Amino acid sequence: MSTAHNVRHYPGAGLVTWVFFLWLYAPIAVVIWLSFNENRLVSVWTGFSMKWYEAALSNRALLDALRVSLTVAVVATTIATLVALSAAMVLSRNETMRFRRLSETVVNLPLLLPEIVVAVASLILFSQLGFSNGMARLIVAHSAFCTPFAFLPIRARMQGMSRDYEEAAKDLYAAPFTAFRRVTLPLILPGVFAGAMLAFVISMDDFITSNLLATGGTTTLPVYIFGLIKQGTTPELNAISTLLIFASLIIATFALVLSARSMRRG
Amino acid sequence: MTRGKAVEVFNVSKRFGDYQALDHVDFTIQENEFFTLLGPSGCGKTTLLRMIAGFETPSEGAIVLFGQEIDRLPAHKRHVNTVFQSYALFPHMTLAQNIAFGLENLGWDKPRREVRVAEMLELVHMTAFASRRPDQLSGGQRQRIALARALAPEPKVLLLDEPLSALDLKLRQAMRDELRALQRQTGITFIFVTHDQKEALDMSDRICVLGQGRVQQIGTPAEIYEEPENRFVADFIGETNFLDAEVIALDGARARIRTPLGLEFDAAQKGLSGPGPATLSLRPEKIGLQEQATGNVLTGTIRSRNYMGGYTHFVVETGGASLRVSRRNAVSQAESYAVGQEVRLGFRDESVRVLAR
């Protein structure tokens, strides 16, 4: 690349970059820093301590909320990914299908609708139906709004994959399911993986829907954290946040490595 | 050796919406034959190949494979294999796994598969590469593995969809020879799709020229080149001069011709039903220059000269018509003709083909 067209050599590029990263990560850095604060007051530094981590990790309510969040996220991710995979298969491999564009829009619609509207609608629907199991309500709602997030990467990967591979598999005597299992699925796996990761993160992160639908005993982590803030921020919150940041980093690194590996093969 | 019928295409048509891709195509391919479907892009040759493979269904007509009608048989149950234009080697499998894929689906046990894979790798001279992946290969190597993968399950018919088009010129020539040798060696019926007439002439036992979704002519390479049955074939295969002429008498396959250049002679005809206007096809290499001008003789002026290596191409203007003439550069005689020079041209009656206009 010629230096004239390299953005890095534009005047002020370095400064803008630094400001950008500072703006993005300064709040996070502050949280991590203060999570080791010994003082009960969040903003007064009096010394290094791990005691808030100890408190967080022995907080039953917090662990319960984490367990609920993980359960909902894992089940909803599985359902959403399976639905998204099926939808992507049909929509990208069946050109003659009627209402193809319409179907695709319907799958993606939850991305465009304001979440609060859908959440309120779900709440009303569930109470009308007398559907009162908190965990099940969360799973159903999360599966629904996670589906388009799982769908987009799978669809993109499928569209980028030459149809020749599937035809070659069939030409070599693979029955439709064998062709899917041994050729199509391995080749779109990076997309499926990316979709599942996205769905998982969206589910873990959700507050609005979970807050409306949760019943006693099915408080998710974001809802629990929000509750803590209402009682005033404590350094324990900083510790919880820091743990979450590191958990996310580990998951993201893992996902990146896995998808890079399968991309290389694909 | 008596030959059975490998593939019979009965009156097959294919429409995509309003577009008629194939229009009542009808022919038979013999067992053991190297059969080429030749035509310009969009002539329907790939569609026809995909129908035999099972990826498209005819709108009308039927395809019969070794006596069995296959229209309702899905692709994975047809005993034909395809070498794809893109090769379509599975990128997540090693070459050995690629070759074994078809065998596994056919239920071959492991020892038998391994023997066959080794055999195939040896056939295409790729034994050392068994555990590599497709992205570690060059174009020519991928081509060979695609062939090995398609030949491994011992198909009754091998379909090849422009397999040489992605290779460079030198490699393409080498692969032509290899393909031809492989076909002889295996005795499998090859159906080869190409738009490259040189490839078709070089490799085929018989060629089917397709144009505008219709069969234009089927014949041996020599028949297709020397005795084109219509203007499309004469034009598409090789180079030719088309001249307007008048048929003054018709006697079966012979026609009495009068040309605007003032010549009158008898020549072989095809597709005419009576006297009237016609087109003459005259190949550039069949026109003699100066001392080689025998038979029907004309005089003209050289308008251009193009040196092509083994040949020199001239355009000679004679009585209002421009004729393309090509001469072999056996000795450096081409140099002795200059643009603007007056020359004698000559061609023999047998070199002319009379076609419907």
Side-chain angles (χ1 to χ4, degrees):
Chain A
M1 196 190 289
S2 78
T3 49
H5 293 284
N6 192 330
V7 185
R8 283 192 307 186
H9 295 280
Y10 285 5
L15 181 70
V16 171
T17 309
W18 280 110
V19 169
F20 171 75
F21 280 116
L22 201 67
W23 175 61
L24 209 60
Y25 291 109
I28 294 174
V30 169
V31 164
I32 296 174
W33 170 247
L34 290 176
S35 71
F36 297 107
N37 189 2
E38 178 257 356
N39 201 297
R40 181 141 193 99
L41 294 168
V42 168
S43 46
V44 183
W45 179 263
T46 50
F48 180 86
S49 161
M50 294 288 284
K51 70 175 179 192
W52 300 114
Y53 286 91
E54 220 180 294
L57 289 174
S58 53
N59 181 340
R60 278 229 66 92
L62 171 71
L63 294 177
D64 280 346
L66 180 64
R67 194 178 41 76
V68 170
S69 268
L70 284 175
T71 312
V72 171
V74 167
V75 178
T77 297
T78 310
I79 295 172
T81 307
L82 285 176
V83 171
L85 181 61
S86 317
M89 290 284 293
V90 172
L91 290 174
S92 61
R93 286 296 182 261
N94 195 346
E95 260 125 35
T96 53
M97 189 181 125
R98 292 202 300 159
F99 310 123
R100 196 164 70 102
R101 289 208 67 91
L102 184 69
S103 309
E104 198 166 337
T105 310
V106 169
V107 173
N108 286 327
L109 206 56
L111 288 177
L112 306 173
L113 294 174
E115 195 189 340
I116 185 73
V117 174
V118 180
V120 170
S122 307
L123 181 64
I124 295 169
L125 177 71
F126 288 162
S127 4
Q128 288 285 316
L129 293 173
F131 186 18
S132 60
N133 182 319
M135 186 68 99
R137 296 205 313 187
L138 284 176
I139 287 170
V140 170
H142 279 226
S143 305
F145 70 67
C146 286
T147 298
F149 290 97
F151 175 76
L152 288 175
I154 299 175
R155 175 73 206 267
R157 181 78 187 172
M158 249 187 112
Q159 215 124 44
M161 175 188 158
S162 161
R163 197 174 289 215
D164 285 356
Y165 294 122
E166 284 153 297
E167 288 188 347
K170 286 180 188 154
D171 190 66
L172 292 163
Y173 314 104
F177 186 71
T178 312
F180 172 75
R181 185 174 56 83
R182 295 211 44 204
V183 174
T184 312
L185 188 60
L187 290 181
I188 59 168
L189 210 56
V192 175
F193 199 73
M197 286 308 301
L198 210 52
F200 183 82
V201 170
I202 294 292
S203 167
M204 280 299 279
D205 190 43
D206 178 71
F207 174 72
I208 298 175
T209 306
S210 304
N211 192 38
L212 284 186
L213 295 183
T215 53
T218 56
T219 305
T220 64
L221 196 56
V223 175
Y224 175 77
I225 292 174
F226 184 70
L228 278 188
I229 293 174
K230 279 198 292 194
Q231 298 158 19
T233 46
T234 70
E236 191 182 340
L237 198 61
N238 292 336
I240 295 169
S241 306
T242 306
L243 288 174
L244 276 179
I245 289 165
F246 283 110
S248 309
L249 274 180
I250 289 165
I251 293 173
T253 310
F254 183 67
L256 221 66
V257 168
L258 260 189
S259 85
R261 184 176 297 168
S262 56
M263 277 293 191
R264 249 205 317 281
R265 285 199 282 147
Chain B
M1 183 173 62
T2 54
R3 280 181 165 185
K5 292 170 179 168
V7 179
E8 292 162 274
V9 175
F10 287 116
N11 229 347
V12 164
S13 295
K14 178 72 181 179
R15 279 177 299 276
F16 295 107
D18 287 339
Y19 177 66
Q20 182 94 31
L22 289 170
D23 187 3
H24 298 93
V25 170
D26 197 283
F27 59 80
T28 300
I29 301 171
Q30 306 295 329
E31 219 174 309
N32 243 329
E33 196 171 27
F34 198 120
F35 189 87
T36 299
L37 294 167
L38 174 66
S41 52
C43 72
K45 55 191 192 297
T46 296
T47 305
L48 195 53
L49 196 78
R50 290 172 59 78
M51 279 182 187
I52 299 171
F55 303 132
E56 305 276 357
T57 47
S59 312
E60 257 177 77
I63 296 173
V64 171
L65 187 70
F66 286 90
Q68 186 195 8
E69 197 176 314
I70 54 172
D71 291 343
R72 294 189 182 284
L73 217 56
H76 66 276
K77 289 186 178 158
R78 297 187 184 191
H79 216 126
V80 298
N81 288 131
T82 307
V83 176
F84 290 81
Q85 188 171 7
S86 65
Y87 311 142
L89 296 176
F90 305 131
H92 57 298
M93 297 184 195
T94 65
L95 304 187
Q97 286 167 337
N98 263 283
I99 297 172
F101 186 81
L103 307 178
E104 280 173 60
N105 291 321
L106 286 174
W108 288 31
D109 58 34
K110 199 166 180 220
R112 208 171 145 220
R113 282 202 310 258
E114 280 169 358
V115 170
R116 184 68 178 160
V117 167
E119 219 174 272
M120 286 294 114
L121 283 168
E122 196 177 330
L123 184 72
V124 296
H125 318 297
M126 294 282 291
T127 306
F129 297 80
S131 53
R132 300 236 188 142
R133 288 185 192 277
D135 59 4
Q136 297 167 300
L137 301 187
S138 70
Q141 291 170 329
R142 281 182 211 198
Q143 158 80 78
R144 285 176 191 193
I145 295 300
L147 259 171
R149 185 178 71 174
L151 285 170
E154 298 168 333
K156 291 178 171 173
V157 176
L158 186 74
L159 309 174
L160 302 109
D161 186 9
E162 308 225 13
L164 306 182
S165 59
L167 305 179
D168 60 53
L169 191 66
K170 263 272 188 289
L171 200 51
R172 215 181 304 165
Q173 183 56 54
M175 283 309 295
R176 275 191 212 171
D177 299 341
E178 255 181 75
L179 271 180
R180 194 73 184 98
L182 264 178
Q183 195 268 331
R184 296 232 172 83
Q185 207 176 327
T186 56
I188 292 170
T189 307
F190 276 34
I191 306 180
F192 185 84
V193 159
T194 185
H195 64 268
D196 183 335
Q197 35 126 351
K198 288 202 186 101
E199 260 171 41
L201 293 174
D202 182 11
M203 295 195 285
S204 321
D205 290 322
R206 282 196 306 152
I207 298 171
C208 169
V209 183
L210 283 170
Q212 285 125 35
R214 279 190 286 271
V215 174
Q216 302 287 342
Q217 185 172 351
I218 298 179
T220 63
E223 282 167 0
I224 298 279
Y225 187 80
E226 304 288 344
E227 299 159 30
E229 289 183 357
N230 58 41
R231 218 187 140 118
F232 181 91
V233 176
D235 193 25
F236 188 70
I237 315 292
E239 271 199 75
T240 197
N241 293 293
F242 286 119
L243 295 168
D244 290 341
E246 187 82 12
V247 171
I248 48 179
L250 198 65
D251 176 20
R254 310 285 300 169
R256 183 89 192 148
I257 295 296
R258 185 186 292 143
T259 74
L261 304 173
L263 301 169
E264 201 176 302
F265 55 90
D266 286 330
Q269 71 90 11
K270 185 78 194 182
L272 294 177
S273 49
T279 295
L280 304 184
S281 163
L282 178 58
R283 302 281 186 196
E285 75 277 10
K286 296 194 173 174
I287 302 177
L289 263 181
Q290 298 292 50
E291 63 275 10
Q292 284 138 355
T294 53
N296 305 296
V297 176
L298 299 161
T299 55
T301 312
I302 295 181
R303 284 290 167 228
S304 70
R305 191 184 75 186
N306 289 79
Y307 177 73
M308 309 292 286
Y311 291 81
T312 300
H313 289 184
F314 299 96
V315 173
V316 179
E317 197 173 289
T318 169
S322 283
L323 287 179
R324 279 179 289 173
V325 180
S326 77
R327 302 257 35 90
R328 278 182 70 113
N329 295 334
V331 270
S332 60
Q333 52 171 215
E335 301 299 317
S336 60
Y337 300 109
V339 172
Q341 188 183 338
E342 289 263 316
V343 285
R344 268 158 41 89
L345 299 175
F347 59 89
R348 301 194 308 185
D349 296 353
E350 308 90 87
S351 304
V352 173
R353 188 86 179 152
V354 187
L355 302 168
R357 192 177 285 179

mmCIF file of all heavy atoms in Angstrom, chain A residues 98-118:
data_model
loop_
_atom_site.group_PDB
_atom_site.id
_atom_site.type_symbol
_atom_site.label_atom_id
_atom_site.label_comp_id
_atom_site.label_asym_id
_atom_site.label_seq_id
_atom_site.Cartn_x
_atom_site.Cartn_y
_atom_site.Cartn_z
ATOM 1 N N ARG A 98 -41.883 -19.360 -2.804
ATOM 2 C CA ARG A 98 -42.784 -18.207 -2.782
ATOM 3 C C ARG A 98 -42.562 -17.423 -1.484
ATOM 4 O O ARG A 98 -42.196 -17.987 -0.460
ATOM 5 C CB ARG A 98 -44.233 -18.680 -2.859
ATOM 6 C CG ARG A 98 -44.549 -19.291 -4.239
ATOM 7 C CD ARG A 98 -46.014 -19.251 -4.505
ATOM 8 N NE ARG A 98 -46.742 -20.010 -3.488
ATOM 9 C CZ ARG A 98 -48.036 -19.816 -3.239
ATOM 10 N NH1 ARG A 98 -48.701 -18.893 -3.895
ATOM 11 N NH2 ARG A 98 -48.650 -20.552 -2.333
ATOM 12 N N PHE A 99 -42.793 -16.126 -1.545
ATOM 13 C CA PHE A 99 -42.677 -15.232 -0.375
ATOM 14 C C PHE A 99 -41.278 -15.277 0.243
ATOM 15 O O PHE A 99 -41.127 -15.168 1.446
ATOM 16 C CB PHE A 99 -43.705 -15.591 0.708
ATOM 17 C CG PHE A 99 -45.092 -15.716 0.185
ATOM 18 C CD1 PHE A 99 -45.818 -16.887 0.351
ATOM 19 C CD2 PHE A 99 -45.692 -14.651 -0.477
ATOM 20 C CE1 PHE A 99 -47.109 -17.002 -0.135
ATOM 21 C CE2 PHE A 99 -46.985 -14.754 -0.957
ATOM 22 C CZ PHE A 99 -47.685 -15.929 -0.790
ATOM 23 N N ARG A 100 -40.249 -15.468 -0.603
ATOM 24 C CA ARG A 100 -38.900 -15.596 -0.049
ATOM 25 C C ARG A 100 -38.440 -14.299 0.628
ATOM 26 O O ARG A 100 -37.950 -14.313 1.746
ATOM 27 C CB ARG A 100 -37.921 -15.988 -1.153
ATOM 28 C CG ARG A 100 -36.604 -16.517 -0.644
ATOM 29 C CD ARG A 100 -35.884 -17.238 -1.749
ATOM 30 N NE ARG A 100 -35.435 -16.283 -2.735
ATOM 31 C CZ ARG A 100 -34.174 -15.857 -2.817
ATOM 32 N NH1 ARG A 100 -33.274 -16.346 -2.013
ATOM 33 N NH2 ARG A 100 -33.826 -14.985 -3.727
ATOM 34 N N ARG A 101 -38.628 -13.190 -0.092
ATOM 35 C CA ARG A 101 -38.195 -11.906 0.469
ATOM 36 C C ARG A 101 -38.978 -11.581 1.727
ATOM 37 O O ARG A 101 -38.436 -11.101 2.715
ATOM 38 C CB ARG A 101 -38.373 -10.791 -0.568
ATOM 39 C CG ARG A 101 -37.385 -10.870 -1.706
ATOM 40 C CD ARG A 101 -37.149 -9.474 -2.254
ATOM 41 N NE ARG A 101 -36.457 -8.650 -1.277
ATOM 42 C CZ ARG A 101 -35.135 -8.552 -1.212
ATOM 43 N NH1 ARG A 101 -34.384 -9.227 -2.055
ATOM 44 N NH2 ARG A 101 -34.564 -7.789 -0.312
ATOM 45 N N LEU A 102 -40.284 -11.853 1.647
ATOM 46 C CA LEU A 102 -41.144 -11.569 2.785
ATOM 47 C C LEU A 102 -40.698 -12.391 3.993
ATOM 48 O O LEU A 102 -40.574 -11.876 5.109
ATOM 49 C CB LEU A 102 -42.600 -11.881 2.414
ATOM 50 C CG LEU A 102 -43.622 -11.541 3.488
ATOM 51 C CD1 LEU A 102 -43.726 -10.032 3.642
ATOM 52 C CD2 LEU A 102 -44.987 -12.123 3.141
ATOM 53 N N SER A 103 -40.405 -13.674 3.749
ATOM 54 C CA SER A 103 -39.988 -14.546 4.854
ATOM 55 C C SER A 103 -38.716 -14.034 5.499
ATOM 56 O O SER A 103 -38.566 -14.045 6.722
ATOM 57 C CB SER A 103 -39.734 -15.966 4.345
ATOM 58 O OG SER A 103 -40.822 -16.405 3.593
ATOM 59 N N GLU A 104 -37.802 -13.555 4.641
ATOM 60 C CA GLU A 104 -36.540 -13.083 5.166
ATOM 61 C C GLU A 104 -36.760 -11.844 6.044
ATOM 62 O O GLU A 104 -36.162 -11.693 7.110
ATOM 63 C CB GLU A 104 -35.596 -12.765 4.016
ATOM 64 C CG GLU A 104 -34.179 -12.693 4.489
ATOM 65 C CD GLU A 104 -33.192 -12.727 3.336
ATOM 66 O OE1 GLU A 104 -33.539 -13.212 2.252
ATOM 67 O OE2 GLU A 104 -32.072 -12.268 3.545
ATOM 68 N N THR A 105 -37.649 -10.977 5.580
ATOM 69 C CA THR A 105 -37.965 -9.775 6.356
ATOM 70 C C THR A 105 -38.570 -10.158 7.699
ATOM 71 O O THR A 105 -38.236 -9.577 8.726
ATOM 72 C CB THR A 105 -38.936 -8.886 5.561
ATOM 73 O OG1 THR A 105 -38.420 -8.719 4.252
ATOM 74 C CG2 THR A 105 -39.114 -7.540 6.223
ATOM 75 N N VAL A 106 -39.453 -11.135 7.680
ATOM 76 C CA VAL A 106 -40.101 -11.562 8.920
ATOM 77 C C VAL A 106 -39.058 -12.077 9.913
ATOM 78 O O VAL A 106 -39.102 -11.757 11.103
ATOM 79 C CB VAL A 106 -41.182 -12.637 8.636
ATOM 80 C CG1 VAL A 106 -41.668 -13.261 9.920
ATOM 81 C CG2 VAL A 106 -42.340 -12.022 7.869
ATOM 82 N N VAL A 107 -38.080 -12.844 9.396
ATOM 83 C CA VAL A 107 -37.034 -13.361 10.279
ATOM 84 C C VAL A 107 -36.236 -12.217 10.901
ATOM 85 O O VAL A 107 -35.874 -12.249 12.077
ATOM 86 C CB VAL A 107 -36.088 -14.317 9.506
ATOM 87 C CG1 VAL A 107 -34.909 -14.728 10.373
ATOM 88 C CG2 VAL A 107 -36.836 -15.552 9.043
ATOM 89 N N ASN A 108 -35.982 -11.189 10.108
ATOM 90 C CA ASN A 108 -35.135 -10.096 10.581
ATOM 91 C C ASN A 108 -35.877 -8.995 11.325
ATOM 92 O O ASN A 108 -35.255 -8.104 11.901
ATOM 93 C CB ASN A 108 -34.390 -9.470 9.399
ATOM 94 C CG ASN A 108 -33.269 -10.366 8.926
ATOM 95 O OD1 ASN A 108 -32.663 -11.073 9.732
ATOM 96 N ND2 ASN A 108 -32.993 -10.371 7.647
ATOM 97 N N LEU A 109 -37.199 -9.059 11.312
ATOM 98 C CA LEU A 109 -38.002 -7.972 11.880
ATOM 99 C C LEU A 109 -37.655 -7.614 13.329
ATOM 100 O O LEU A 109 -37.586 -6.426 13.666
ATOM 101 C CB LEU A 109 -39.485 -8.317 11.742
ATOM 102 C CG LEU A 109 -40.430 -7.120 11.697
ATOM 103 C CD1 LEU A 109 -40.034 -6.172 10.575
ATOM 104 C CD2 LEU A 109 -41.863 -7.582 11.517
ATOM 105 N N PRO A 110 -37.407 -8.595 14.189
ATOM 106 C CA PRO A 110 -37.109 -8.241 15.590
ATOM 107 C C PRO A 110 -35.922 -7.286 15.725
ATOM 108 O O PRO A 110 -35.808 -6.589 16.735
ATOM 109 C CB PRO A 110 -36.784 -9.592 16.234
ATOM 110 C CG PRO A 110 -37.525 -10.579 15.416
ATOM 111 C CD PRO A 110 -37.491 -10.045 14.011
ATOM 112 N N LEU A 111 -35.050 -7.223 14.713
ATOM 113 C CA LEU A 111 -33.919 -6.299 14.772
ATOM 114 C C LEU A 111 -34.393 -4.855 14.711
ATOM 115 O O LEU A 111 -33.749 -3.953 15.241
ATOM 116 C CB LEU A 111 -32.983 -6.531 13.588
ATOM 117 C CG LEU A 111 -32.144 -7.796 13.579
ATOM 118 C CD1 LEU A 111 -31.338 -7.872 12.300
ATOM 119 C CD2 LEU A 111 -31.221 -7.790 14.772
ATOM 120 N N LEU A 112 -35.508 -4.649 14.022
ATOM 121 C CA LEU A 112 -35.948 -3.284 13.748
ATOM 122 C C LEU A 112 -36.962 -2.788 14.764
ATOM 123 O O LEU A 112 -37.060 -1.594 15.015
ATOM 124 C CB LEU A 112 -36.569 -3.213 12.344
ATOM 125 C CG LEU A 112 -35.675 -3.744 11.219
ATOM 126 C CD1 LEU A 112 -36.424 -3.789 9.900
ATOM 127 C CD2 LEU A 112 -34.431 -2.878 11.089
ATOM 128 N N LEU A 113 -37.720 -3.715 15.343
ATOM 129 C CA LEU A 113 -38.754 -3.288 16.283
ATOM 130 C C LEU A 113 -38.111 -2.833 17.598
ATOM 131 O O LEU A 113 -37.157 -3.445 18.073
ATOM 132 C CB LEU A 113 -39.712 -4.449 16.576
ATOM 133 C CG LEU A 113 -40.555 -4.912 15.388
ATOM 134 C CD1 LEU A 113 -41.353 -6.149 15.767
ATOM 135 C CD2 LEU A 113 -41.481 -3.793 14.931
ATOM 136 N N PRO A 114 -38.654 -1.759 18.209
ATOM 137 C CA PRO A 114 -38.129 -1.336 19.508
ATOM 138 C C PRO A 114 -38.339 -2.461 20.530
ATOM 139 O O PRO A 114 -39.421 -3.041 20.600
ATOM 140 C CB PRO A 114 -38.997 -0.126 19.867
ATOM 141 C CG PRO A 114 -39.670 0.272 18.609
ATOM 142 C CD PRO A 114 -39.748 -0.920 17.738
ATOM 143 N N GLU A 115 -37.311 -2.758 21.280
ATOM 144 C CA GLU A 115 -37.379 -3.916 22.162
ATOM 145 C C GLU A 115 -38.468 -3.774 23.204
ATOM 146 O O GLU A 115 -39.152 -4.739 23.559
ATOM 147 C CB GLU A 115 -36.026 -4.152 22.837
ATOM 148 C CG GLU A 115 -35.970 -5.545 23.456
ATOM 149 C CD GLU A 115 -34.742 -5.758 24.325
ATOM 150 O OE1 GLU A 115 -33.767 -5.017 24.154
ATOM 151 O OE2 GLU A 115 -34.787 -6.669 25.168
ATOM 152 N N ILE A 116 -38.644 -2.554 23.689
ATOM 153 C CA ILE A 116 -39.627 -2.349 24.749
ATOM 154 C C ILE A 116 -41.031 -2.734 24.277
ATOM 155 O O ILE A 116 -41.823 -3.307 25.027
ATOM 156 C CB ILE A 116 -39.570 -0.877 25.273
ATOM 157 C CG1 ILE A 116 -40.495 -0.681 26.461
ATOM 158 C CG2 ILE A 116 -39.889 0.117 24.185
ATOM 159 C CD1 ILE A 116 -39.991 -1.317 27.722
ATOM 160 N N VAL A 117 -41.309 -2.438 22.978
ATOM 161 C CA VAL A 117 -42.631 -2.773 22.426
ATOM 162 C C VAL A 117 -42.835 -4.284 22.445
ATOM 163 O O VAL A 117 -43.860 -4.800 22.899
ATOM 164 C CB VAL A 117 -42.755 -2.228 20.995
ATOM 165 C CG1 VAL A 117 -44.063 -2.688 20.356
ATOM 166 C CG2 VAL A 117 -42.641 -0.713 20.988
ATOM 167 N N VAL A 118 -41.819 -4.987 21.949
ATOM 168 C CA VAL A 118 -41.921 -6.445 21.888
ATOM 169 C C VAL A 118 -42.018 -7.026 23.305
ATOM 170 O O VAL A 118 -42.791 -7.963 23.559
ATOM 171 C CB VAL A 118 -40.701 -7.043 21.149
ATOM 172 C CG1 VAL A 118 -40.814 -8.556 21.078
ATOM 173 C CG2 VAL A 118 -40.582 -6.444 19.757
#
